[in-house]
Amino acid sequence: MAGNYARSHQPFSETPPLSTLPHAIPQSQFTPGPAPTTSVQEDGKIYGLVIDLLDPNTRESALLELSKKREQYDDLALVLWHSFGIMPALLQEIVSVYPLLSPPNLTAHASNRVCNALALLQCVASHSETRQLFLSAHIPLFLYPFLNTTSKTRPFEYLRLTSLGVIGALVKQNDNSSVIHFLLSTEIIPLCLRIMETGSELSKTVAIFIVQKILLDETGLTYICHTYERFYAVGTVLSNMVNQLVETQAVRLLKHVVRCYLRLSDNLRAREALRACLPEPLRDQTFSTLLKGDMSTYIPWYATEKPLLIDGIPDHYLALAAPVVAYWSLSLFFHFLDTRDWKVLDKYRLHPSSEVASRNLVSRSTVVYAVFFQHIIQTVLGLYWLTAEAPTRVPNSVAVHRIASTLHTPAELLGLNDPVLLLSVSEFIYWWAIPALQLLLSMFIIDTWQYFLHRAMHVNKFLYRHLHSWHHRLYVPYAFGSLYNHPVEGFFLDTLGTAVAEWCTGLTTRQAMVLFTISTLKTVDDHCGYNFPWDPLQLMSGNNADYHDIHHQIIGIKSNFAQPFFVHWDTLLGTRMTRQDIELRRKGLKNKTN
């Protein structure tokens, strides 16, 4: 068996997050807890689905539904095992994909289906009354061809991971001596070692968990340390993982590696060998900050580990829908105020309501149609710009500890040797400082883009006459007219500028959603026609509804180009105009006349 330990394979290119797997290994797999009860009606549904497994025509849908309900029904394992023909049906699903393993032709659909069957086997493997029966039938051996695959594609990765989950369900129990004895009689150790060396981070974690459980059993420890070849195989893989962890800083995986070394040191012969071959990063301070600080557990209120913010709706769809919803929600609120004759609003209105109809050169219906068209263009282009694939990035905890590692040397020079303080500072930088900087930089890029392009459209007569003059048909701005532009201007000024800001700052899809929504709300608010002293969007900077209203008047049409956030470019380049400037200019004209 030892000869199989040294198989070498190329590493996987990516690690799919657990929450995105079609059959993610549930947290309860490694943390037992009380199972919920079900109603009689629910029992009937479960029994009906189990019966459907016997019919090849209904089996696929039954597998999917039962895999979803396996944690909600505590006796599902018993029903599956003791129902006539069910276990053979599940094994038939497994065996049916063997021809697709070599050469590797497994499709996502086939992988999903067999993973559903594996999820039900995991349920049987984890139940105390069916676990031994499961072993006696040698069912785990049916999974080994899946663990022996090397393809890097996602269908194969999901297949290996779900298969590992079944073995993990077997070894997680405390009374698992019979399980360990069974596994030691098979090829599970070399299979797990290969995955620990070449698999995705998640697969490595489950594989090393299985090896750790084998080591914790006295028989397993003795078996691995009995010959040099076995010990060398395990030690070599653990050493390679340590060297990889220097770069990845995956703390959960590191803890499993450390626990394996600790357990190996309980054997006298292994302990002597480890004195010479223990990896250097475990001897020095390479992982000191990572391990002393423990895994970062701080998660701010705004963060979530959910793969989708709203179940069933991809985040990039939300990022495109959010600004549209925000636009019309806030616009309709201000339109409601516009249609009220409440006297209390008069002191906040920048123009009497009657001026909207008398001074504007375009009807409200035309504005609505134009804005709808702008949103359609914006959404269609956004579908090409944003993708459903999450960008490759390191886990949050790894990113935090990388920041801590970067700050470690400067902190030591300053005499700051408290690892807890260092971790807290790193968490603040990662969760607050960096996102805030990204958001502010995005706002700066949007302001810069829109200022110079907006100003160019006023300076260049052709651009103004054929493009920007559309927007200035609204002499008296109102909320839902804020995106009333020529379609070409709308694309270059609003859509493209925001996309450039999102790309330059490396925003995630969810950060982009926030940026798009805030930018939209600010644009609507700047055209709302009200100067509310308590409006947070008007309080955030001097670039507010009153400021932009000046630009829409004849006297200020060559001023106040800045939008939508701040006024720094107007201030720096001398194009800022305030109400006081208007009064001074009018007084000057009056004096000249007199």
Side-chain angles (χ1 to χ4, degrees):
M1 182 182 294
N4 293 325
Y5 288 3
R7 299 172 183 168
S8 90
H9 297 271
Q10 293 300 316
F12 290 97
S13 60
E14 61 181 331
T15 301
L18 179 58
S19 56
T20 63
L21 296 180
H23 310 288
I25 303 167
Q27 185 67 28
S28 59
Q29 175 179 320
F30 301 119
T31 307
T37 58
T38 57
S39 64
V40 175
Q41 184 179 7
E42 188 65 24
D43 288 350
K45 292 182 180 179
I46 296 293
Y47 298 150
L49 290 171
V50 171
I51 294 173
D52 287 343
L53 292 176
L54 298 174
D55 185 351
N57 296 322
T58 58
R59 185 178 299 164
E60 183 173 2
S61 61
L63 285 171
L64 177 60
E65 292 302 317
L66 285 172
S67 67
K68 293 177 181 178
K69 297 177 180 293
R70 67 186 189 277
E71 290 188 43
Q72 304 170 12
Y73 189 70
D74 52 352
D75 289 331
L76 179 59
L78 296 173
V79 175
L80 292 172
W81 185 266
H82 294 292
S83 296
F84 177 79
I86 297 302
M87 296 308 296
L90 296 179
L91 294 178
Q92 184 181 16
E93 289 293 314
I94 292 172
V95 174
S96 67
V97 299
Y98 283 176
L100 304 178
L101 302 183
S102 183
N105 293 315
L106 186 67
T107 63
H109 177 266
S111 176
N112 288 345
R113 178 164 175 161
V114 72
C115 284
N116 280 328
L118 290 171
L120 298 184
L121 290 184
Q122 179 182 322
C123 176
V124 176
S126 61
H127 198 284
S128 59
E129 296 184 38
T130 55
R131 185 167 61 252
Q132 191 56 51
L133 298 170
F134 188 82
L135 283 177
S136 299
H138 289 194
I139 292 178
L141 298 180
F142 286 88
L143 279 56
Y144 286 13
F146 299 157
L147 299 178
N148 203 31
T149 58
T150 59
S151 174
K152 302 176 185 179
T153 61
R154 285 195 173 189
F156 279 93
E157 174 60 19
Y158 296 163
L159 186 62
R160 282 189 293 271
L161 184 57
T162 314
S163 301
L164 285 170
V166 178
I167 308 300
L170 285 171
V171 301
K172 76 182 179 94
Q173 306 299 328
N174 294 325
D175 55 334
N176 60 359
S177 295
S178 60
V179 175
I180 301 303
H181 279 83
F182 172 82
L183 294 177
L184 291 177
S185 68
T186 69
E187 294 288 303
I188 191 61
I189 292 179
L191 290 172
C192 284
L193 290 180
R194 184 174 61 188
I195 293 173
M196 286 162 56
E197 198 161 29
T198 64
S200 66
E201 182 179 325
L202 193 53
S203 294
K204 289 180 180 179
T205 303
V206 183
I208 197 174
F209 171 82
I210 295 170
V211 172
Q212 178 188 328
K213 281 292 190 177
I214 292 175
L215 283 170
L216 288 174
D217 186 86
E218 195 62 38
T219 303
L221 178 63
T222 302
Y223 176 87
I224 288 176
C225 298
H226 183 66
T227 67
Y228 172 76
E229 289 79 7
R230 293 172 186 168
F231 172 79
Y232 178 77
V234 174
T236 299
V237 172
L238 290 176
S239 178
N240 292 338
M241 291 183 72
V242 170
N243 293 328
Q244 293 172 6
L245 287 167
V246 173
E247 296 296 326
T248 63
Q249 297 281 296
V251 67
R252 180 173 60 169
L253 202 52
L254 176 61
K255 288 179 179 179
H256 283 301
V257 172
V258 171
R259 291 183 187 120
C260 286
Y261 274 118
L262 285 173
R263 180 54 178 162
L264 285 172
S265 68
D266 289 339
N267 181 278
L268 181 60
R269 294 175 61 195
R271 184 162 62 247
E272 291 301 319
L274 288 174
R275 293 182 189 276
C277 66
L278 189 69
E280 192 62 30
L282 293 181
R283 297 173 183 270
D284 56 27
Q285 300 299 309
T286 301
F287 298 117
S288 59
T289 303
L290 192 63
L291 293 176
K292 284 181 182 178
D294 201 353
M295 183 176 179
S296 176
T297 56
Y298 171 74
I299 301 293
W301 57 265
Y302 69 81
T304 176
E305 294 297 327
K306 291 179 61 178
L308 300 177
L309 284 178
I310 298 179
D311 292 339
I313 303 178
D315 282 353
H316 71 296
Y317 287 171
L318 283 181
L320 297 175
V324 177
V325 173
Y327 184 94
W328 289 108
S329 298
L330 189 58
S331 294
L332 289 175
F333 168 74
F334 283 117
H335 180 66
F336 173 77
L337 297 183
D338 289 341
T339 59
R340 304 301 96 182
D341 56 358
W342 299 336
K343 297 300 182 182
V344 69
L345 293 176
D346 290 345
K347 62 180 179 180
Y348 302 118
R349 285 191 171 109
L350 297 175
H351 299 275
S353 298
S354 57
E355 285 192 13
V356 175
S358 62
R359 302 180 66 182
N360 286 339
L361 304 178
V362 62
S363 67
R364 290 183 183 270
S365 60
T366 302
V367 170
V368 170
Y369 293 144
V371 173
F372 273 144
F373 186 66
Q374 167 92 352
H375 279 153
I376 291 172
I377 295 176
Q378 172 182 302
T379 303
V380 171
L381 293 174
L383 290 173
Y384 285 96
W385 180 255
L386 297 175
T387 64
E389 294 295 327
T392 303
R393 66 182 184 92
V394 298
N396 296 325
S397 59
V398 175
V400 168
H401 288 295
R402 283 183 178 176
I403 294 173
S405 297
T406 303
L407 297 177
H408 181 68
T409 300
E412 279 191 334
L413 294 176
L414 295 173
L416 302 174
N417 298 315
D418 185 351
V420 176
L421 175 61
L422 183 62
L423 184 63
S424 297
V425 172
S426 302
E427 288 172 337
F428 174 80
I429 292 174
Y430 178 76
W431 288 112
W432 296 101
I434 292 177
L437 182 62
Q438 286 177 296
L439 183 60
L440 289 173
L441 182 57
S442 299
M443 291 178 174
F444 174 78
I445 292 173
I446 291 174
D447 274 355
T448 302
W449 181 281
Q450 295 203 12
Y451 175 86
F452 288 101
L453 190 56
H454 185 191
R455 185 171 180 177
M457 288 186 177
H458 278 274
V459 173
N460 186 293
K461 294 181 179 180
F462 177 85
L463 292 179
Y464 183 82
R465 184 181 306 113
H466 294 282
L467 298 179
H468 193 55
S469 61
W470 277 42
H471 186 67
H472 281 275
R473 293 172 185 173
L474 295 178
Y475 185 83
V476 180
Y478 49 82
F480 63 81
S482 54
L483 285 186
Y484 174 65
N485 299 312
H486 189 285
V488 174
E489 178 189 348
F491 169 73
F492 282 102
L493 188 69
D494 298 306
T495 305
L496 187 59
T498 308
V500 168
E502 183 261 346
W503 177 77
C504 288
T505 54
L507 300 182
T508 66
T509 301
R510 293 177 184 179
Q511 286 177 303
M513 187 189 313
V514 173
L515 174 66
F516 298 164
T517 303
I518 293 177
S519 177
T520 298
L521 291 174
K522 189 69 173 65
T523 300
V524 172
D525 198 82
D526 288 349
H527 293 79
C528 70
Y530 292 89
N531 189 13
F532 290 129
W534 36 261
D535 186 341
L537 293 171
Q538 298 193 29
L539 291 175
M540 66 181 292
S541 77
N543 197 340
N544 50 34
D546 183 61
Y547 185 84
H548 192 67
D549 181 77
I550 293 174
H551 175 72
H552 276 259
Q553 311 309 310
I554 294 177
I555 195 172
I557 200 168
K558 295 292 185 180
S559 305
N560 295 8
F561 300 114
Q563 60 183 78
F565 297 110
F566 307 107
V567 298
H568 53 277
W569 285 120
D570 277 327
T571 303
L572 292 172
L573 300 179
T575 54
R576 183 180 182 184
M577 178 180 287
T578 64
R579 294 293 179 185
Q580 291 77 13
D581 295 331
I582 293 175
E583 289 301 318
L584 290 175
R585 183 175 297 186
R586 285 173 175 168
K587 287 181 179 178
L589 290 174
K590 185 177 181 180
N591 291 336
K592 286 182 180 181
T593 303
N594 294 336

